[in-house]
Amino acid sequence: MSDDDGGAGGDIELTAGSLRVGKGLVPAEYAGLIEKAAADCDAGLSAAVLAAQIAQESGFNPRAQSWEYRKDPATGKRVKRPLAKGIAQFIDGTWASSGIDGNGDGKKDVWDPEDAIPSQGLMMCKLLKTAKKHPEYRGSPIELALAGYNAGWGRVEQYRGVPPREFADGQTYNYVQTIMANVSRLTAPDTSGDPETSGGWGLPVKAPLGTPYHQAGGMWSSGYHTGIDFVASTGSTVRAIGPGKVVTAGPGGPYGNQVVIRHADGMYSQYAHMSKIKTSVGATVEGGTVIGLSGATGNVSGPHLHLEIRTGPEYGTDISPLSYMRKKGIRI
């Protein structure tokens, strides 16, 4: 697990609501490259995911080198050979097929972050798009993409999801877990508008839990449940789970009336199927602020509140809500 000191001076500098820059965070010289690589992807790739991935791969070291030991067929001796190279840790075969000339200087150089980081972003974008075509696989699309980057998409297909701990002594499984755990740490607050207010964290509604996260089923277009449900009757008060800024408030297709809130750690909470919305886009909320009433709008079989936690504002970036909420001190 990597917790590199990075290469920027000072404690924390904020970029445009995307990455946290500074010692122990994202080195300033790479933040822009990472943010652009994420922005160039039209599949909802998070800059913080790329940053957490680089932190895990190389500790933001552009000269990082990993090695493998293989038996020389001619001598029978074990020989040390270079394996993965550079800040994004490409192996030669993958770089030959996926490396690009990111800075337009006429060559693609695995040791040059201006080439390696855009190449990483492009490869992750393709993997994320592929992952979204397989909702039946175990894991969220971004987790599947990370597993494909680490072990190859063939292994994801083989295990129909993120390879288990038993595969390669847990290398890929732990790789995915570590990166997802570091996403919020490397995400900057949104400083583009009014600052987020302080406020505690709590449950969104007074109701028992219903359908769990990742339950499989044909009633969901993804093939599995992307959040958790609270069995709340129509008209129950729905509250923001924590402080943040409302980025979506209105009809959401199968989600019915929905609200999406961006929190200071860069994560998003989504509240769906509400009968009435009592907030608006741009509103600053505290934990406990009333944002609507539960209901049965959209694709539902009965009234309830559907809650998702996401690394991005849109569908397909979900993570486990219970794990996130418990880390925020919410008893559930």
mmCIF file of all heavy atoms in Angstrom, residues 161-187:
data_model
loop_
_atom_site.group_PDB
_atom_site.id
_atom_site.type_symbol
_atom_site.label_atom_id
_atom_site.label_comp_id
_atom_site.label_asym_id
_atom_site.label_seq_id
_atom_site.Cartn_x
_atom_site.Cartn_y
_atom_site.Cartn_z
ATOM 1 N N GLY A 161 -15.851 -10.976 -12.747
ATOM 2 C CA GLY A 161 -15.775 -9.903 -11.765
ATOM 3 C C GLY A 161 -14.356 -9.688 -11.302
ATOM 4 O O GLY A 161 -13.399 -10.235 -11.882
ATOM 5 N N VAL A 162 -14.193 -8.911 -10.259
ATOM 6 C CA VAL A 162 -12.870 -8.709 -9.675
ATOM 7 C C VAL A 162 -12.346 -10.054 -9.171
ATOM 8 O O VAL A 162 -13.046 -10.753 -8.432
ATOM 9 C CB VAL A 162 -12.941 -7.707 -8.510
ATOM 10 C CG1 VAL A 162 -11.576 -7.566 -7.839
ATOM 11 C CG2 VAL A 162 -13.441 -6.352 -8.990
ATOM 12 N N PRO A 163 -11.150 -10.469 -9.595
ATOM 13 C CA PRO A 163 -10.618 -11.749 -9.122
ATOM 14 C C PRO A 163 -10.603 -11.819 -7.595
ATOM 15 O O PRO A 163 -10.336 -10.816 -6.917
ATOM 16 C CB PRO A 163 -9.191 -11.761 -9.689
ATOM 17 C CG PRO A 163 -9.304 -10.939 -10.937
ATOM 18 C CD PRO A 163 -10.262 -9.833 -10.587
ATOM 19 N N PRO A 164 -10.902 -12.971 -7.031
ATOM 20 C CA PRO A 164 -10.964 -13.111 -5.570
ATOM 21 C C PRO A 164 -9.591 -13.080 -4.925
ATOM 22 O O PRO A 164 -8.565 -13.069 -5.596
ATOM 23 C CB PRO A 164 -11.622 -14.483 -5.394
ATOM 24 C CG PRO A 164 -11.213 -15.241 -6.626
ATOM 25 C CD PRO A 164 -11.186 -14.221 -7.736
ATOM 26 N N ARG A 165 -9.597 -13.086 -3.609
ATOM 27 C CA ARG A 165 -8.340 -13.047 -2.849
ATOM 28 C C ARG A 165 -7.433 -14.227 -3.198
ATOM 29 O O ARG A 165 -6.208 -14.127 -3.098
ATOM 30 C CB ARG A 165 -8.628 -13.074 -1.342
ATOM 31 C CG ARG A 165 -9.237 -11.797 -0.786
ATOM 32 C CD ARG A 165 -9.327 -11.895 0.728
ATOM 33 N NE ARG A 165 -9.868 -10.696 1.334
ATOM 34 C CZ ARG A 165 -11.144 -10.522 1.603
ATOM 35 N NH1 ARG A 165 -12.024 -11.476 1.290
ATOM 36 N NH2 ARG A 165 -11.567 -9.414 2.175
ATOM 37 N N GLU A 166 -8.048 -15.341 -3.591
ATOM 38 C CA GLU A 166 -7.254 -16.542 -3.874
ATOM 39 C C GLU A 166 -6.399 -16.383 -5.130
ATOM 40 O O GLU A 166 -5.406 -17.092 -5.307
ATOM 41 C CB GLU A 166 -8.183 -17.749 -4.042
ATOM 42 C CG GLU A 166 -8.913 -18.165 -2.778
ATOM 43 C CD GLU A 166 -10.062 -17.232 -2.436
ATOM 44 O OE1 GLU A 166 -10.599 -16.582 -3.367
ATOM 45 O OE2 GLU A 166 -10.409 -17.141 -1.237
ATOM 46 N N PHE A 167 -6.782 -15.465 -6.031
ATOM 47 C CA PHE A 167 -6.034 -15.281 -7.268
ATOM 48 C C PHE A 167 -4.764 -14.476 -7.004
ATOM 49 O O PHE A 167 -4.805 -13.390 -6.420
ATOM 50 C CB PHE A 167 -6.900 -14.557 -8.306
ATOM 51 C CG PHE A 167 -6.142 -14.104 -9.525
ATOM 52 C CD1 PHE A 167 -5.690 -15.018 -10.462
ATOM 53 C CD2 PHE A 167 -5.858 -12.748 -9.711
ATOM 54 C CE1 PHE A 167 -4.977 -14.597 -11.575
ATOM 55 C CE2 PHE A 167 -5.153 -12.320 -10.817
ATOM 56 C CZ PHE A 167 -4.708 -13.247 -11.758
ATOM 57 N N ALA A 168 -3.631 -15.005 -7.423
ATOM 58 C CA ALA A 168 -2.333 -14.312 -7.330
ATOM 59 C C ALA A 168 -2.064 -13.764 -5.936
ATOM 60 O O ALA A 168 -1.578 -12.648 -5.770
ATOM 61 C CB ALA A 168 -2.269 -13.184 -8.355
ATOM 62 N N ASP A 169 -2.397 -14.580 -4.935
ATOM 63 C CA ASP A 169 -2.166 -14.190 -3.531
ATOM 64 C C ASP A 169 -2.846 -12.862 -3.183
ATOM 65 O O ASP A 169 -2.348 -12.098 -2.347
ATOM 66 C CB ASP A 169 -0.661 -14.094 -3.237
ATOM 67 C CG ASP A 169 0.042 -15.440 -3.340
ATOM 68 O OD1 ASP A 169 -0.587 -16.455 -2.984
ATOM 69 O OD2 ASP A 169 1.193 -15.472 -3.800
ATOM 70 N N GLY A 170 -3.970 -12.592 -3.821
ATOM 71 C CA GLY A 170 -4.734 -11.391 -3.481
ATOM 72 C C GLY A 170 -4.224 -10.119 -4.110
ATOM 73 O O GLY A 170 -4.702 -9.023 -3.784
ATOM 74 N N GLN A 171 -3.259 -10.226 -5.043
ATOM 75 C CA GLN A 171 -2.644 -9.020 -5.605
ATOM 76 C C GLN A 171 -3.672 -8.101 -6.251
ATOM 77 O O GLN A 171 -3.727 -6.909 -5.951
ATOM 78 C CB GLN A 171 -1.586 -9.405 -6.632
ATOM 79 C CG GLN A 171 -0.979 -8.202 -7.357
ATOM 80 C CD GLN A 171 -0.014 -8.611 -8.452
ATOM 81 O OE1 GLN A 171 0.745 -9.553 -8.280
ATOM 82 N NE2 GLN A 171 -0.034 -7.921 -9.574
ATOM 83 N N THR A 172 -4.487 -8.648 -7.152
ATOM 84 C CA THR A 172 -5.460 -7.810 -7.857
ATOM 85 C C THR A 172 -6.577 -7.362 -6.933
ATOM 86 O O THR A 172 -7.002 -6.192 -6.968
ATOM 87 C CB THR A 172 -6.038 -8.570 -9.064
ATOM 88 O OG1 THR A 172 -4.960 -8.923 -9.939
ATOM 89 C CG2 THR A 172 -7.036 -7.715 -9.819
ATOM 90 N N TYR A 173 -7.066 -8.269 -6.109
ATOM 91 C CA TYR A 173 -8.132 -7.924 -5.156
ATOM 92 C C TYR A 173 -7.698 -6.769 -4.253
ATOM 93 O O TYR A 173 -8.417 -5.783 -4.078
ATOM 94 C CB TYR A 173 -8.490 -9.151 -4.316
ATOM 95 C CG TYR A 173 -9.560 -8.892 -3.281
ATOM 96 C CD1 TYR A 173 -10.901 -9.058 -3.595
ATOM 97 C CD2 TYR A 173 -9.219 -8.485 -1.994
ATOM 98 C CE1 TYR A 173 -11.888 -8.822 -2.651
ATOM 99 C CE2 TYR A 173 -10.197 -8.247 -1.040
ATOM 100 C CZ TYR A 173 -11.534 -8.414 -1.370
ATOM 101 O OH TYR A 173 -12.499 -8.171 -0.428
ATOM 102 N N ASN A 174 -6.493 -6.874 -3.683
ATOM 103 C CA ASN A 174 -6.001 -5.829 -2.789
ATOM 104 C C ASN A 174 -5.696 -4.537 -3.539
ATOM 105 O O ASN A 174 -5.870 -3.439 -2.994
ATOM 106 C CB ASN A 174 -4.751 -6.320 -2.051
ATOM 107 C CG ASN A 174 -5.066 -7.427 -1.067
ATOM 108 O OD1 ASN A 174 -6.148 -7.470 -0.485
ATOM 109 N ND2 ASN A 174 -4.128 -8.344 -0.876
ATOM 110 N N TYR A 175 -5.247 -4.659 -4.780
ATOM 111 C CA TYR A 175 -4.983 -3.487 -5.630
ATOM 112 C C TYR A 175 -6.250 -2.662 -5.779
ATOM 113 O O TYR A 175 -6.245 -1.440 -5.584
ATOM 114 C CB TYR A 175 -4.490 -3.993 -6.979
ATOM 115 C CG TYR A 175 -4.261 -2.947 -8.054
ATOM 116 C CD1 TYR A 175 -3.051 -2.258 -8.143
ATOM 117 C CD2 TYR A 175 -5.238 -2.682 -9.014
ATOM 118 C CE1 TYR A 175 -2.827 -1.330 -9.154
ATOM 119 C CE2 TYR A 175 -5.018 -1.756 -10.027
ATOM 120 C CZ TYR A 175 -3.820 -1.089 -10.090
ATOM 121 O OH TYR A 175 -3.603 -0.168 -11.097
ATOM 122 N N VAL A 176 -7.354 -3.323 -6.106
ATOM 123 C CA VAL A 176 -8.626 -2.623 -6.280
ATOM 124 C C VAL A 176 -9.085 -2.006 -4.969
ATOM 125 O O VAL A 176 -9.503 -0.841 -4.917
ATOM 126 C CB VAL A 176 -9.693 -3.580 -6.840
ATOM 127 C CG1 VAL A 176 -11.064 -2.908 -6.862
ATOM 128 C CG2 VAL A 176 -9.312 -4.049 -8.238
ATOM 129 N N GLN A 177 -9.012 -2.773 -3.889
ATOM 130 C CA GLN A 177 -9.476 -2.286 -2.587
ATOM 131 C C GLN A 177 -8.681 -1.063 -2.135
ATOM 132 O O GLN A 177 -9.247 -0.089 -1.628
ATOM 133 C CB GLN A 177 -9.359 -3.407 -1.545
ATOM 134 C CG GLN A 177 -10.299 -4.569 -1.759
ATOM 135 C CD GLN A 177 -11.755 -4.184 -1.582
ATOM 136 O OE1 GLN A 177 -12.129 -3.564 -0.604
ATOM 137 N NE2 GLN A 177 -12.579 -4.538 -2.555
ATOM 138 N N THR A 178 -7.370 -1.107 -2.303
ATOM 139 C CA THR A 178 -6.515 0.001 -1.862
ATOM 140 C C THR A 178 -6.799 1.263 -2.653
ATOM 141 O O THR A 178 -6.904 2.358 -2.088
ATOM 142 C CB THR A 178 -5.031 -0.389 -2.010
ATOM 143 O OG1 THR A 178 -4.767 -1.547 -1.219
ATOM 144 C CG2 THR A 178 -4.128 0.754 -1.559
ATOM 145 N N ILE A 179 -6.931 1.143 -3.960
ATOM 146 C CA ILE A 179 -7.195 2.320 -4.795
ATOM 147 C C ILE A 179 -8.541 2.936 -4.450
ATOM 148 O O ILE A 179 -8.656 4.164 -4.277
ATOM 149 C CB ILE A 179 -7.121 1.945 -6.283
ATOM 150 C CG1 ILE A 179 -5.667 1.645 -6.665
ATOM 151 C CG2 ILE A 179 -7.677 3.068 -7.163
ATOM 152 C CD1 ILE A 179 -5.495 1.032 -8.024
ATOM 153 N N MET A 180 -9.579 2.130 -4.313
ATOM 154 C CA MET A 180 -10.896 2.667 -3.990
ATOM 155 C C MET A 180 -10.894 3.333 -2.617
ATOM 156 O O MET A 180 -11.577 4.340 -2.403
ATOM 157 C CB MET A 180 -11.940 1.554 -4.042
ATOM 158 C CG MET A 180 -12.149 0.959 -5.434
ATOM 159 S SD MET A 180 -12.581 2.184 -6.698
ATOM 160 C CE MET A 180 -14.179 2.725 -6.117
ATOM 161 N N ALA A 181 -10.110 2.817 -1.687
ATOM 162 C CA ALA A 181 -10.039 3.411 -0.355
ATOM 163 C C ALA A 181 -9.336 4.759 -0.375
ATOM 164 O O ALA A 181 -9.580 5.609 0.497
ATOM 165 C CB ALA A 181 -9.317 2.462 0.601
ATOM 166 N N ASN A 182 -8.459 4.989 -1.367
ATOM 167 C CA ASN A 182 -7.695 6.232 -1.425
ATOM 168 C C ASN A 182 -8.350 7.322 -2.276
ATOM 169 O O ASN A 182 -7.861 8.450 -2.308
ATOM 170 C CB ASN A 182 -6.287 5.958 -1.973
ATOM 171 C CG ASN A 182 -5.322 5.531 -0.887
ATOM 172 O OD1 ASN A 182 -5.395 6.008 0.239
ATOM 173 N ND2 ASN A 182 -4.435 4.615 -1.215
ATOM 174 N N VAL A 183 -9.437 6.992 -2.961
ATOM 175 C CA VAL A 183 -10.068 7.963 -3.848
ATOM 176 C C VAL A 183 -10.510 9.210 -3.094
ATOM 177 O O VAL A 183 -10.214 10.341 -3.497
ATOM 178 C CB VAL A 183 -11.272 7.329 -4.589
ATOM 179 C CG1 VAL A 183 -12.113 8.400 -5.279
ATOM 180 C CG2 VAL A 183 -10.775 6.336 -5.625
ATOM 181 N N SER A 184 -11.223 9.047 -1.988
ATOM 182 C CA SER A 184 -11.724 10.219 -1.258
ATOM 183 C C SER A 184 -10.584 11.035 -0.661
ATOM 184 O O SER A 184 -10.654 12.263 -0.588
ATOM 185 C CB SER A 184 -12.693 9.786 -0.155
ATOM 186 O OG SER A 184 -12.058 8.945 0.778
ATOM 187 N N ARG A 185 -9.480 10.364 -0.273
ATOM 188 C CA ARG A 185 -8.341 11.081 0.321
ATOM 189 C C ARG A 185 -7.679 12.023 -0.680
ATOM 190 O O ARG A 185 -7.141 13.063 -0.302
ATOM 191 C CB ARG A 185 -7.316 10.060 0.826
ATOM 192 C CG ARG A 185 -6.137 10.663 1.580
ATOM 193 C CD ARG A 185 -5.201 9.577 2.070
ATOM 194 N NE ARG A 185 -4.500 8.918 0.990
ATOM 195 C CZ ARG A 185 -3.369 9.347 0.463
ATOM 196 N NH1 ARG A 185 -2.811 10.471 0.897
ATOM 197 N NH2 ARG A 185 -2.780 8.675 -0.506
ATOM 198 N N LEU A 186 -7.735 11.673 -1.960
ATOM 199 C CA LEU A 186 -7.058 12.459 -2.989
ATOM 200 C C LEU A 186 -8.000 13.396 -3.744
ATOM 201 O O LEU A 186 -7.580 14.046 -4.697
ATOM 202 C CB LEU A 186 -6.356 11.533 -3.984
ATOM 203 C CG LEU A 186 -5.258 10.640 -3.395
ATOM 204 C CD1 LEU A 186 -4.667 9.743 -4.476
ATOM 205 C CD2 LEU A 186 -4.168 11.469 -2.737
ATOM 206 N N THR A 187 -9.258 13.468 -3.335
ATOM 207 C CA THR A 187 -10.236 14.329 -3.996
ATOM 208 C C THR A 187 -10.389 15.635 -3.239
ATOM 209 O O THR A 187 -10.618 15.640 -2.033
ATOM 210 C CB THR A 187 -11.600 13.626 -4.094
ATOM 211 O OG1 THR A 187 -11.444 12.373 -4.737
ATOM 212 C CG2 THR A 187 -12.589 14.469 -4.881
#
